[in-house]
C-alpha cells in the first residue's frame, strides 16, 4: 500500500463532497502511472490490476466496518 498524489492528475468523486465541507477520503487501486492514463486514449479497463483492486475492496470493507463500530 502506498500513497499517490492525485492532485497532479485530475479530480476524484470525493472532491464534490470536500467543496461543501463534508469529510471525504479517496481510496483506489491505481498507481501514479495508471492515473496519468485516466481520461486519455490509454484509459482502458484491462490496465486495472485485479489483485490490487480486490485488496482495496477488502481494505475499504474493513475500514467502513471500523468506522461503523467507532462512530455509532
Amino acid at each position: 500500500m502506498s500513497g499517490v498524489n492525485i492532485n497532479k492528475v485530475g479530480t476524484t468523486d470525493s472532491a464534490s463532497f470536500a467543496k461543501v465541507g463534508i469529510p471525504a477520503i479517496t481510496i483506489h487501486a491505481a498507481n501514479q502511472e495508471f492515473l496519468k492514463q485516466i481520461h486519455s486514449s490509454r484509459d482502458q479497463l484491462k490496465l486495472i490490476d485485479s489483485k490490487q483492486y480486490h485488496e482495496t475492496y477488502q481494505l475499504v470493507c474493513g475500514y467502513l466496518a471500523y468506522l461503523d463500530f467507532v462512530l455509532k
Side-chain angles (χ1 to χ4, degrees):
M1 191 178 335
S2 64
V4 175
N5 185 352
I6 58 172
N7 293 328
K8 295 181 180 179
V9 180
T11 61
T12 65
D13 295 337
S14 62
S16 48
F17 293 99
K19 285 181 184 176
V20 294
I22 299 172
I25 186 169
T26 299
I27 300 173
H28 58 81
N31 60 29
Q32 194 72 41
E33 184 58 36
F34 177 80
L35 289 173
K36 289 178 187 175
Q37 298 178 41
I38 293 177
H39 305 301
S40 76
S41 61
R42 297 179 298 163
D43 189 356
Q44 300 174 26
L45 184 60
K46 69 181 181 182
L47 296 174
I48 293 176
D49 182 326
S50 61
K51 183 176 183 282
Q52 282 187 351
Y53 188 85
H54 183 71
E55 289 173 353
T56 301
Y57 168 78
Q58 291 176 317
L59 172 69
V60 170
C61 287
Y63 182 60
L64 292 175
Y66 169 77
L67 290 177
D68 191 44
F69 178 77
V70 172
L71 301 175
K72 287 186 177 185

